[in-house]
């Protein structure tokens, strides 16, 4: 069942809402970036995610994976979601929303 959750960074400059179905399970990514952040997330379709803040509140890190974008707050540095452009076994581009 889809439920709407609100989230954001520590200083609340970056805020979002996402419609999430937690019954589909959560994931713990083991890539070199996410494992260092202990990034525990849930996959969300792009149409189920809405950034409530201005994009200018974000800056982005992009590692070796060219399809994974790691935005984070310019002010406090907290990473709250990822954007994945190419479907990785899902069949659609998606957002990874941090649930911790």
């Amino acid at each position: 069942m889809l439920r709407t959750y609100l989230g954001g960074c520590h200083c609340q400059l970056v805020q979002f809402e996402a419609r999430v179905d937690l019954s589909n399970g959560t994931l713990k990514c083991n890539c070199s970036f996410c494992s260092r952040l202990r990034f525990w997330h849930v996959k969300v379709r792009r149409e189920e995610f809405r950034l409530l803040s201005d994009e200018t509140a974000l800056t982005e890190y992009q590692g070796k994976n060219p399809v994974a974008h790691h935005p984070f707050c310019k002010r406090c540095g907290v990473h709250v979601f990822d954007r994945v452009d190419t479907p990785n076994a899902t069949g659609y581009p998606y957002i990874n929303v941090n649930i911790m």
Side-chain angles (χ1 to χ4, degrees):
M1 178 171 96
L2 283 173
R3 288 186 55 195
T4 301
Y5 292 90
L6 299 175
C9 65
H10 183 262
C11 73
Q12 295 300 302
L13 184 64
V14 176
Q15 296 182 24
F16 67 88
E17 70 178 18
R19 291 183 30 88
V20 176
D21 185 355
L22 290 174
S23 69
N24 289 336
T26 61
L27 300 159
K28 191 171 180 186
C29 183
N30 65 354
C31 79
S32 61
F33 181 78
C34 293
S35 63
R36 284 171 176 79
L37 288 175
R38 301 178 61 86
F39 188 54
W40 199 311
H41 63 274
V42 62
K43 285 186 184 343
V44 176
R45 289 183 175 270
R46 287 205 171 177
E47 59 269 17
E48 301 294 345
F49 179 88
R50 187 166 66 111
L51 184 62
L52 301 174
S53 306
D54 193 308
E55 282 276 341
T56 60
L58 297 167
T59 192
E60 184 176 294
Y61 171 76
Q62 189 160 8
K64 294 178 184 177
N65 185 345
V67 301
H69 304 273
H70 309 285
F72 57 94
C73 176
K74 284 183 179 179
R75 185 186 301 154
C76 68
V78 171
H79 172 253
V80 292
F81 64 90
D82 281 338
R83 294 182 179 116
V84 181
D85 293 335
T86 302
N88 294 345
T90 61
Y92 54 87
Y94 57 90
I95 305 287
N96 288 324
V97 176
N98 193 353
I99 61 170
M100 295 300 286

